[in-house]
Amino acid sequence: MKFFIDTANLDQIREAEELGVLDGVTTNPSLMAKEGITGKNNILKHYVDICTITPGDVSAEVIGTTFDQMVREGEELAELHDQIVVKVPMIRDGVKALRYFSQKGIRTNCTLIFSPGQALLAAKAGATYVSPFIGRLDDISSDGLSLIAEIREIYDNYGFETQILAASVRHAMHIINCAKLGADVMTGPLSSIESLLKHPLTDIGLEKFLADYKKGNS
């Protein structure tokens, strides 16, 4: 399973990279704005800055909602750096744009996936990744993990190469369950990745080891 971090914060990306488990980055206009990054040139530069920190894929999202707008923006984003993956929304023109980019050899991430049908359309159109938002489904009392399982079954049935990128991941059990279900990638905040480190018995065991060492060397 690949680990992506969902942020525009360069310090957090560096921290995840230094941990040794980072495979890529996803970000979006909201996350850019959260870091105070505004204006087209600043946003484009920031994408390049992210690419210099991690050698993995970096999803950069288009703003336009028409086919022509998405194609124009997506081509500009793809030219920024070889690591850029163009993030396209799951809408009618977005599916058309996925096919266009696929035929041009531009990698894509279809975002805002909330149903297996949407994931099927994205794969048919040639998306490199699909991003089902499991946390947002959980927020409305729907089962986000069931969506991962359904997409995995469909893709395996037909041999689709599109990777399932479990998005809106909130905590350790989201990651563990997505891994068990066969999601190819997870993306979430640094806190969700770091939550995998934690177990009370690890803390207790380490404390005992250190205490025993201190007794024997005092």
Side-chain angles (χ1 to χ4, degrees):
M1 184 188 227
K2 296 177 185 177
F3 279 23
F4 287 7
I5 185 173
D6 192 39
T7 187
N9 185 290
L10 298 183
D11 289 336
Q12 290 183 7
I13 295 169
R14 289 190 189 95
E15 194 170 345
E17 181 66 33
E18 290 168 1
L19 187 60
V21 299
L22 188 65
D23 297 296
V25 177
T26 57
T27 189
N28 58 49
S30 297
L31 293 171
M32 287 282 190
K34 184 178 178 182
E35 300 302 322
I37 302 154
T38 58
K40 179 181 176 180
N41 290 338
N42 290 331
I43 290 172
L44 295 180
K45 178 183 180 299
H46 201 74
Y47 282 131
V48 175
D49 291 341
I50 292 172
C51 290
T52 64
I53 297 173
T54 177
D57 289 346
V58 176
S59 285
E61 189 163 347
V62 299
I63 305 300
T65 56
T66 69
F67 174 79
D68 289 340
Q69 289 170 338
M70 284 185 270
V71 165
R72 183 171 60 253
E73 291 176 39
E75 289 182 332
E76 184 176 13
L77 290 169
E79 289 176 359
L80 288 175
H81 201 283
D82 290 342
Q83 292 164 227
I84 293 291
V85 175
V86 178
K87 192 189 286 189
V88 176
M90 171 39 70
I91 56 177
R92 178 182 291 271
D93 277 15
V95 174
K96 294 178 183 178
L98 290 172
R99 172 55 66 187
Y100 174 87
F101 290 134
S102 176
Q103 292 172 341
K104 293 287 186 179
I106 295 173
R107 295 176 302 145
T108 54
N109 175 359
C110 187
T111 190
L112 295 172
I113 297 285
F114 292 99
S115 76
Q118 291 177 325
L120 178 56
L121 282 175
K124 288 280 291 180
T128 310
Y129 299 97
V130 292
S131 291
F133 279 49
I134 63 172
R136 294 194 191 182
L137 284 170
D138 289 354
D139 289 344
I140 61 167
S141 300
S142 188
D143 188 355
L145 291 170
S146 291
L147 176 57
I148 299 295
E150 290 178 296
I151 298 172
R152 180 77 279 160
E153 181 179 3
I154 291 169
Y155 283 9
D156 289 348
N157 280 348
Y158 298 101
F160 286 119
E161 296 182 1
T162 300
Q163 296 182 54
I164 302 171
L165 195 164
S168 189
V169 164
R170 304 280 173 77
H171 48 69
M173 287 313 300
H174 267 163
I175 300 174
I176 296 301
N177 286 322
C178 283
K180 289 165 67 175
L181 291 168
D184 300 287
V185 192
M186 63 70 59
T187 189
L190 180 61
S191 60
S192 67
I193 298 173
E194 290 181 332
S195 67
L196 296 172
L197 290 165
K198 300 173 184 177
H199 196 287
L201 292 180
T202 301
D203 297 335
I204 292 168
L206 181 58
E207 185 179 354
K208 186 177 187 306
F209 293 156
L210 293 175
D212 290 344
Y213 175 81
K214 186 176 182 179
K215 286 178 185 177
N217 292 273
S218 59

